[in-house]
Amino acid sequence: MIKKFDKKDEESGSGSNPFQHLEKSAVLQEARIFNETPINPRRCLHILTKIIYLLNQGEHFGTTEATEAFFAMTRLFQSNDQTLRRMCYLTIKEMANISEDVIIVTSSLTKDMTGKEDVYRGPAIRALCRITDTTMLQAIERYMKQAIVDKVPSVSSSALVSSLHMVKMSYDVVKRWVNEAQEAASSDNIMVQYHALGLLYHLRKNDRLAVSKMLNKFTKSGLKSPFAYCMLIRIASRLLEETEGGHDSPLFDFIESCLRNKHEMVVYEAASAIVHMPNCTARELAPAVSVLQLFCSSPKAALRYAAVRTLNKVAMKHPSAVTACNLDLENLITDSNRSIATLAITTLLKTGSESSVDRLMKQISSFVSEISDEFKVVVVQAISALCQKYPRKHSVMMNFLSNMLRDDGGFEYKRAIVDCIISIIEENPDSKETGLAHLCEFIEDCEHTVLATKILHLLGKEGPRTPCPSKYIRFIFNRVVLESEAVRAAAVSALAKFGAQNDDLLPSVLVLMQRCMMDSDDEVRDRATFYMNVLQQKQKALNAAYIFNGLTVSVPGLEKSLHQYTLEPSEKPFDMKTVPLATTPITEQKTEIAPVATSKLPEKLTPSRQDIYQEQLAAIPEFQGLGPLFKSSEPVQLTEAETEYVVRCIKHTFAGHMVFQFDCTNTLNDQLLQKVLVQMEPSEAYEVVQYIPAANLPYSQPGSCYSLVRLPEDDPTAVSCTFSCTMKYLVRDCDPNTGEPDDDGYDDEYVLEDLEVTVADHIQKVLKPNFGAAWDEVGDDFEKEETFALSSVRTLDEAVGNIISFLGMQPCERSDKVPENKNSHVLFLAGVFRGGHDLLVRSRLALADGVTMQVTVRSQEETAVDVILASVG
Amino acid sequence: MGLFDKLAGWLGLKKKEVNVLCLGLDNSGKTTIINQLKPSNAQTQDIVPTIGFSIEKFKTSSLSFTVFDMSGQGRYRNLWEHYYKEGQAIIFVIDSSDKLRMVVAKEELDTLLNHPDIKHRRMPILFFANKMDLREALSSVKVSQLLCLENIKDKPWHICASDAVKGEGLQEGVDWLQDQIRTMRT
Ligand SMILES: Nc1nc2c(ncn2[C@@H]2O[C@H](COP(=O)(O)OP(=O)(O)OP(=O)(O)O)[C@@H](O)[C@H]2O)c(=O)[nH]1
Ligand SMILES: [Mg+2]
């Protein structure tokens, strides 16, 4: 009935799909014929197909209409047409979560699963398990147990796989089927054995001891099914990793012994497991690599592919092992299967010497246009890795990449290239102009809005600082004339940056802005008007604040504050300083090329961790009136890992207070803790205002208590303090079996580790994309400078790392990266000090005996400057 | 298969098909009754409470029955109505030993008879006063009184005492139903 589509038609998307223009309402109308007697199986089948098609296209079915269609479908159980019945099973599964009362088919399905028709039994089990919830499971338990050990393999497999799905929902019930699963695991059928092993593993996977017993049993007794063997290998290597088992473990021996299995599948799985293991020695690796090497010259394409793909993946980790296969890989360069060839070449690129780069690149150019996008991305990734290894090769690569950019290709592919070019530009300043030129050429004809805006942003950031900024203007302005709204808006922002930094370009930029103010789109016009007004002031500070360095506040926070402001209107203008800052600064364009599968378009803005804390704390009455949450620290552990009570602390900083949130877990199943609080003794003039205890802390359910502390007002530079902490609580002993607590309790306490508050807790990271402009904007009213010797530090890298983590500030202009072979470096740090004032640090480092550091600090406020110098000194 | 059936098969004659709803409270014996009516090779030994419904088929000398055996448990009873349009006749089963729930049975019956999909149709209803073998079982006369069957004016009905486990009383009921359906059609 379902026509076999012509592949070509499918690709070109021409109208050969008979379901293409289905209307949900029309299909549901047609579904009325399910109610007619006698049933016409052929027509009903066709309509069910349409319904399933619509569901799979993501069409939304309302509950009422879905339920109606579902009940109409249940009548089709009258018919004994096999195809129709099986289509009903599929429909049931698809509609299980959108129709009401789907349990109506339970008896019909149990009848089919226990009936005489073997073709019905497996699918009926699968459908039945989809509509069964925990409460109904008991009713079918008996049938499930029987089905698991049924002698018909498809029935047994269906029952095992369905049980596996139900483990998530009703672990305790399914656990009672272990004996049946055990019996199925000794089945002669390879699929049944595999599925049984899968179920057994999932029932036990949280119990390491049980898993290891199971492995022990099966590795001794041996299995028939190669699939089951592959699974055992995976389980074993996971267990090895979790237990950090050494390679003298019997598990490793087992995996290694599988290298000699008679099934290639098993051999491959074992080899792959070994090369993926962390810290393998060359000797342990050798047998696995030689297996892969052997597979490289197998006549079976699947084996060659598997081998070379695995080698490709581990090329960076075990270069020497992979180099051993270089000869075989060379042979695969010309493999008729382009996927294999691509992987071989990119593997060689990753491990090969600098001298072979040109040859390999030439080879791959010869067929790059013939391979699929997915593999083109692999090529780009290899190039990216190569550029990091051999920076001198960047011109060859850049050339190659620009050619690739000109070819046809989908979004992922183009994005990978653009990211790679951007990363090359960032790593190699002398490639900047060529790279920007290629990107300019690319956006002249680029259909991907995301990429065009990204490149425009980059041009705005980098272009004005090149020797000849004027040449980019034309490319940018072309966008304003030719593209969609989003791109036009990005182009306007980029133009403004040129006007702000290049005085000689300003007049022409103003003329272009004027033109943009007549744009048909609101956003474009608004931006143009805004920039026009800022630029006309010709003030460096304004340019810095409003053109180069954008907003640093949290967007959800801003939305909330503005909403609050409109609810309580006041004479006072809205103060940006009351808005919480963004916790993770909008990063500079970073270029980690993510694997294709995980890379997605930017998601909807999700609230950050701090936005969530802000909300949680605001709900506690004692913390009202503290103002906006300024910063939340990473959790600090105050107990060792395996103790009776586990406590960690999150430090929340507000304008004049700190709130310490203690997340506590009670790991004793014979105790209920009540009125839990953490008493704090400060070393400095910090004042503990209030404790908010956790009322109950039952076994293994985490709970939080809080301490509210006022910061010393008379000495604002006293930013660091050590607190000794003691947890105090009432213990009520519990019966470990029933969990019933005693009526009486007794007070007890538990000493925790000391908690440090440091300067970093008072500073929030903020990224200034143009540090120089920000520096000028803040001005030198409160500038202070001092020089220090960091005698214990040996390298510039180390010094830079220490300073950043000590001050908790955001490195700008990529100054956290120290170029190789340099003996001086300048680190630029930006942040906001508690209270909302910008704080900038320029630190010149010179390597002599130790490292000497000259620190210059600027802020709009003196305290912040003093705090920094006081804490560094 | 009787000779006539074979002949009819060869000649391409098919028995008239009729859809029947089998309703009644849970545990009244609906599934057991239907099971008895099925040909012996299709019968199951193992009868469990029905969840939802199940479709069963059996034949009599002149008709081919398709029965919707519904679940009688309280929470599924409101699902019966989805199938009312389907039925051309109703078998309503009562556990005649369950005096306590006779009122519940009556209430369900009244709701059924007043349902728009049933109310104005002249469909035959066969009542089985089932489990007559049990000592405390009420007679079929008593059951029909308790259910006020005499008030049913616009539909032909009939009540039989039955023992579904042994199969007694079923044939009489089914014969009546068959006659009713035949006269209904002609
Ligand atoms: N003694 C006796 N027991 C019967 C008779 N008919 C049925 N039973 C028993 O009554 C119980 C319930 O029978 P079912 O056929 O499952 O009842 P049902 O009406 O289908 O119940 P639901 O599917 O839950 O609505 C079973 O244990 C039967 O063996 C009968 O005539 N006499
Ligand atoms: Mg039943």
Side-chain angles (χ1 to χ4, degrees), chain A residues 34-35 37-38 67 71 74-75 77-80 101 103-108 111 116 136 139 142-143, chain B residues 17 19 38 41-42 46 48-57 66 68 70 75-76 79 82-83 86:
Chain A
F34 295 168
N35 295 326
T37 23
T67 308
F71 274 86
T74 62
R75 291 171 173 83
F77 272 88
Q78 286 176 67
S79 162
N80 280 330
D101 295 319
I103 45 91
I104 188 83
V105 288
T106 304
S107 270
S108 308
K111 189 175 146 204
K116 294 199 177 70
M136 301 292 296
R142 187 160 58 101
Y143 302 113
Chain B
E17 300 200 8
N19 284 352
K38 287 197 287 186
N41 60 352
D46 173 35
V48 295
T50 311
I51 301 173
F53 76 107
S54 125
I55 293 176
E56 308 292 343
K57 299 188 180 203
T66 299
F68 286 71
M70 306 300 301
R75 57 187 158 140
Y76 304 131
L79 301 177
H82 287 279
Y83 302 89
E86 218 69 12

Side-chain angles (χ1 to χ4, degrees), chain A residues 478-539:
Chain A
N478 278 348
R479 307 278 71 69
V480 179
V481 186
L482 300 169
E483 306 273 355
S484 66
E485 297 81 11
V487 179
R488 297 207 299 273
V492 168
S493 300
L495 271 182
K497 292 190 178 129
F498 282 85
Q501 266 173 104
N502 306 102
D503 289 339
D504 45 334
L505 288 179
L506 182 63
S508 29
V509 167
L510 286 177
V511 172
L512 297 177
M513 277 297 166
Q514 202 102 45
R515 158 85 167 66
C516 301
M517 282 165 68
M518 294 182 301
D519 197 281
S520 59
D521 180 71
D522 285 351
E523 172 72 23
V524 179
R525 263 194 330 266
D526 288 355
R527 286 197 193 192
T529 313
F530 174 77
Y531 290 130
M532 183 80 183
N533 281 299
V534 176
L535 288 172
Q536 279 170 336
Q537 309 300 317
K538 300 193 177 157
Q539 288 183 30

Side-chain angles (χ1 to χ4, degrees), chain A residues 770-790:
Chain A
N770 188 325
F771 187 85
W775 187 254
D776 292 341
E777 178 202 346
V778 170
D780 56 6
D781 294 353
F782 296 112
E783 180 180 291
K784 286 192 184 167
E785 193 169 84
E786 255 181 78
T787 306
F788 303 93
L790 311 175

Side-chain angles (χ1 to χ4, degrees), chain A residues 427 790 792-806 811 814-827 829 843-848 850-853:
Chain A
E427 302 289 329
L790 311 175
S792 63
V793 179
R794 289 280 143 243
T795 68
L796 289 176
D797 252 337
E798 199 185 339
V800 165
N802 285 351
I803 299 169
I804 293 173
S805 66
F806 179 73
R814 304 196 148 255
S815 61
D816 50 333
K817 243 192 262 167
V818 182
E820 271 175 67
N821 307 326
K822 284 272 180 64
N823 46 20
S824 69
H825 182 66
V826 190
L827 172 64
L829 296 172
S843 147
R844 297 180 195 277
L845 301 161
L847 188 66
V851 173
T852 48
M853 165 171 85

Side-chain angles (χ1 to χ4, degrees), chain B residues 44-77:
Chain B
T44 65
Q45 304 309 320
D46 173 35
I47 290 176
V48 295
T50 311
I51 301 173
F53 76 107
S54 125
I55 293 176
E56 308 292 343
K57 299 188 180 203
F58 66 88
K59 288 188 176 139
T60 60
S61 56
S62 64
L63 290 176
S64 166
F65 282 91
T66 299
V67 185
F68 286 71
D69 173 17
M70 306 300 301
S71 165
Q73 287 177 49
R75 57 187 158 140
Y76 304 131
R77 282 179 218 151

